[in-house]
Amino acid sequence: MSPLDFTTKELDRLFDLAGDIEKHKEKYAHACEGKILATCFYEPSTRTRLSFESAMTRLGGRVIGFSDAASSSASKGESVSDTIRIISCYADICAMRHPKEGAPMVAAEKSGIPVINAGDGGHQHPTQTLTDLLTIRSLKGRLGGFTIGLCGDLKFGRTVHSLIHALVRYPDIRFIFISPEELKVPDYITDMLRAREIPYEEYMSLEDIMPQLDLLYMTRVQKERFFNEEDYVRLKDFYILDKAKMALARPDMLVLHPLPRVNEISVEVDEDPRAAYFKQAQYGVYVRQALILTLLGLAPQT
Ligand code: CP
């Protein structure tokens, strides 16, 4: 499952359903009774795995799974294809995170149940993008007409790659990429933007561009994807969003971050009403509830 598997109309339906779940939690409390979600996480996670588990539990379903490749039979050499064939016998739907790019898509081809990509290497993180889009839509009331700054590790940050691919389908989006030279957004993304004539600019200074932004999407430097520790140490604190930088921003600019954060947003920013990253995590549960219902064919017909 990728956000691009859905049309923008289907995404609207998904977000409407997430909004209804937020308002009427009880209405959905038994919607997945008798259903089982498998969470197969070959990489560490707090938000994605637990928000999927929370989502299924809040829908009245049950959860099985593993949170570490070492505690699964992958440690004995079992392939993802064989594992998903087995999981298909045990569960009705699966959320999979894997360090190898494309692994959840390979699993989906062999699977008898829907497989949701919960993050694959440095490639994509589609359900984080659904979370990000729902957050923007809920707090701004729309999904177009923005200047969005994406700041930090734009090379390895899979949430950034997924979000750009989703946002290009909405009108009047201008991208501002803010990163050190070594962590620039990959060429395949800028090639796609040029081909679609979608405006983007690249900067190294966050301060310079701050006053122009409607949305600022901060990201962590992805330590786990670096080939050497020295480069990571040099780049990890390149950007630190603090009160002084927030003073340069518009009064209605929103700060998003997929989390976890390390140092890139100072804790002093947390109390700023424009800091939306903890609300974002809450929206992640509603949108995953909506996604599970939709993929199981249990979403109310509109
Ligand atoms: N945002 C996100 O993917 O967080 P986790 O790695 O904790 O799941």
Side-chain angles (χ1 to χ4, degrees), residues 17 21 23-24 52 59 84 86 91 94 99 183-184 187 196 213 230 238 252 265 269:
L17 177 57
I21 291 168
K23 284 197 203 90
H24 307 287
F52 264 116
L59 292 168
I84 195 65
I86 303 307
C94 172
L183 297 178
K184 281 173 75 167
D187 288 345
R196 298 177 71 133
L213 304 179
E230 209 176 287
F238 205 91
D252 62 346
I265 302 182
V269 177

Side-chain angles (χ1 to χ4, degrees), residues 54-284:
S54 171
M56 190 50 148
T57 306
R58 286 174 192 276
L59 292 168
R62 305 188 75 162
V63 180
I64 58 172
F66 54 86
S67 59
D68 177 5
S71 67
S72 80
S73 286
S75 62
K76 303 174 203 164
E78 186 171 56
S79 68
V80 166
S81 300
D82 280 359
T83 301
I84 195 65
R85 284 186 182 189
I86 303 307
I87 299 288
S88 299
C89 305
Y90 303 157
D92 301 286
I93 187 164
C94 172
M96 179 180 287
R97 171 170 288 187
H98 203 286
K100 279 201 186 137
E101 303 188 354
M105 280 67 91
V106 170
E109 282 168 18
K110 300 287 180 191
S111 177
I113 58 174
V115 177
I116 302 169
N117 179 0
D120 62 320
H123 182 222
Q124 301 267 339
H125 193 344
T127 64
Q128 180 63 48
T129 295
L130 296 178
T131 301
D132 301 339
L133 294 179
L134 177 63
T135 305
I136 296 168
R137 187 185 190 255
S138 302
L139 300 182
K140 285 285 191 188
R142 65 185 196 280
L143 277 170
F146 293 118
T147 295
I148 178 167
L150 298 115
C151 177
D153 185 349
L154 308 186
K155 179 179 179 185
F156 297 118
R158 58 193 173 196
T159 63
V160 166
H161 306 160
S162 288
L163 183 58
I164 295 168
H165 275 99
L167 281 176
V168 294
R169 300 188 302 167
Y170 294 94
D172 200 16
I173 299 281
R174 174 180 167 228
F175 292 101
I176 307 282
F177 300 134
I178 307 136
S179 72
E181 188 62 31
E182 296 91 330
L183 297 178
K184 281 173 75 167
V185 75
D187 288 345
Y188 79 89
I189 291 184
T190 48
D191 289 347
M192 179 272 292
L193 293 175
R194 274 196 303 277
R196 298 177 71 133
E197 298 184 357
I198 292 169
Y200 73 91
E201 293 157 50
E202 295 182 286
Y203 288 84
M204 213 179 313
S205 160
L206 177 56
E207 287 91 331
D208 287 354
I209 201 68
M210 205 73 178
Q212 295 188 34
L213 304 179
D214 300 303
L215 300 163
L216 173 59
Y217 195 90
M218 293 296 294
T219 63
R220 174 178 66 91
V221 174
Q222 305 275 302
K223 181 180 184 184
E224 62 275 32
R225 317 244 179 259
F226 272 72
F227 293 112
N228 73 69
E229 177 83 8
E230 209 176 287
D231 284 349
Y232 170 70
V233 169
R234 185 167 51 80
L235 294 168
K236 72 183 174 66
D237 293 332
F238 205 91
Y239 299 105
I240 298 180
L241 183 65
D242 55 16
K243 267 188 176 173
K245 291 192 189 79
M246 287 300 286
L248 303 171
R250 291 181 182 164
D252 62 346
M253 186 196 78
L254 288 183
V255 183
L256 302 175
H257 191 310
L259 305 179
R261 75 169 149 192
V262 185
N263 290 327
E264 61 278 4
I265 302 182
S266 166
V267 290
E268 68 187 19
V269 177
D270 295 356
E271 300 312 315
D272 190 304
R274 296 168 290 183
Y277 31 92
F278 291 117
K279 284 184 203 149
Q280 202 176 337
Q282 178 65 66
Y283 284 119

Side-chain angles (χ1 to χ4, degrees), residues 278-291:
F278 291 117
K279 284 184 203 149
Q280 202 176 337
Q282 178 65 66
Y283 284 119
V285 178
Y286 303 136
V287 86
R288 288 182 175 101
Q289 283 181 269
L291 182 64

